[in-house]
């Protein structure tokens, strides 16, 4: 079984307020992208990697992969306007004979082999896609634009979803062809009737969106 990873790193990361894209924000002593790239490259579960870089940043991304000795990176392409566009650009570079694809946000640097193994395992049991998640712990309320609470929403059965997300390559290609957009790849697969399973995620798969998140993740390194 050949497993390919698409590492999407083309977000602008405007909320960080930096002069460079989020993938090149400093995490400890390195650009943020180095951490997830190295982790995926060293994973025994992964055979090849497609890196999706911010437009204009393909060369620094390739240089970084070389510096880190990431020999599994087979292609580096520019991302698109939305995350879905970036995944699409990455998927186009995944070879036709690949069986499984793992899509991962570079903004979640601390991807582990354990979670990769957890999302891959159910694919051999007939699931079309597998996503890591965490059950919602906080109380949920619907709030109007005036700040008034409208209702308390039951959190029964609600999960927050992370990456890496795993799919049979053909399933994801078909879902992409059939649906215009979704907030994550699993959403595309669900929209064409695919069965998606949840496995335990990891609080350390926090998505970096703010300076505080960067500090939190740096503290976990
Ligand atoms: O924007 P958001 O935080 O949801 O991004 C999640 C992941 O998707 C990040 O790793 C980001 O780099 C990537 N992304 C992308 N292309 C975009 C937008 C986001 O590759 N146009």
């Amino acid at each position: 079984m050949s497993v390919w990873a698409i590492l999407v790193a083309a977000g602008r990361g405007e909320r960080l307020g930096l002069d460079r894209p989020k993938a090149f924000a400093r995490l400890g002593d390195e650009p943020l992208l180095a951490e997830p790239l190295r982790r995926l490259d060293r994973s025994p579960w992964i055979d090849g990697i497609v890196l999706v870089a911010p437009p204009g940043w393909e060369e620094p991304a390739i240089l970084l992969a070389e510096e880190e000795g990431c020999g599994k990176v087979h292609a580096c392409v520019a991302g698109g306007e939305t995350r879905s566009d970036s995944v699409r650009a990455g998927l186009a570079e995944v070879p036709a004979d690949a069986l499984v694809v793992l899509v991962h946000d570079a903004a979640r640097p601390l991807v582990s082999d354990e979670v990769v193994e957890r999302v891959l395992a159910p694919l051999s049991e007939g699931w079309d896609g597998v996503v890591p998640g965490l059950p919602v712990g906080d109380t949920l309320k619907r709030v109007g634009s005036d700040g008034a609470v409208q209702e308390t929403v039951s959190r029964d059965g609600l999960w927050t979803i992370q990456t890496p997300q795993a799919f049979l390559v053909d399933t994801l290609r078909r879902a992409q062809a059939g649906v215009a957009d979704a907030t994550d790849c699993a959403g595309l697969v669900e929209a064409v009737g695919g069965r998606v399973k949840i496995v335990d995620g990891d609080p350390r798969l926090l998505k970096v969106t703010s300076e505080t998140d960067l500090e939190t993740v740096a503290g976990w390194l």
Side-chain angles (χ1 to χ4, degrees):
M1 162 169 120
S2 94
V3 179
W4 279 65
I6 300 173
L7 184 59
V8 282
R12 282 193 280 268
E14 273 155 4
R15 276 163 291 183
L16 284 175
L18 300 174
D19 57 353
R20 68 193 82 165
K22 179 158 61 182
F24 290 89
R26 303 309 291 180
L27 177 66
D29 296 332
E30 298 179 306
L32 179 145
L33 176 60
E35 190 69 32
L37 186 56
R38 205 168 39 225
R39 284 169 176 251
L40 292 178
D41 196 81
R42 307 277 141 91
S43 170
W45 299 102
I46 292 168
D47 300 304
I49 299 172
V50 175
L51 185 50
V52 185
W57 289 76
E58 298 92 316
E59 216 168 292
I62 292 167
L63 277 177
L64 182 67
E66 283 173 2
E67 271 168 31
E68 295 290 334
C70 295
K72 292 182 188 170
V73 176
H74 285 249
C76 177
V77 291
E81 196 53 39
T82 66
R83 184 183 183 279
S84 296
D85 294 335
S86 295
V87 174
R88 191 178 299 273
L91 194 57
E93 299 297 323
V94 172
D97 61 357
L99 209 67
V100 170
V101 65
L102 208 88
V103 182
H104 184 59
D105 293 337
R108 303 179 193 272
L110 299 189
V111 55
S112 67
D113 262 350
E114 289 74 21
V115 80
V116 168
E117 190 175 356
R118 282 204 289 277
V119 295
L120 290 178
L123 289 179
S124 55
E125 297 159 9
W127 295 88
D128 298 303
V130 187
V131 299
L134 297 172
V136 171
D138 292 329
T139 296
L140 293 177
K141 293 189 192 295
R142 190 178 313 282
V143 181
S145 55
D146 60 353
V149 171
Q150 295 169 342
E151 61 168 332
T152 298
V153 182
S154 164
R155 64 181 184 219
D156 264 9
L158 292 184
W159 293 62
T160 56
I161 301 307
Q162 303 174 320
T163 72
Q165 302 191 347
F167 307 93
L168 298 175
V169 176
D170 287 347
T171 305
L172 188 58
R173 287 198 210 276
R174 256 183 285 121
Q176 262 196 350
V179 184
D181 209 2
T183 51
D184 69 350
C185 298
L188 296 176
V189 171
E190 293 154 35
V192 296
R195 290 172 68 240
V196 175
K197 182 179 172 66
I198 295 252
V199 295
D200 285 336
D202 184 341
R204 293 183 179 221
L205 279 169
L206 174 74
K207 184 167 76 172
V208 170
T209 49
S210 67
E211 188 60 41
T212 312
D213 297 335
L214 263 179
E215 284 163 19
T216 305
V217 173
W220 287 336
L221 284 174

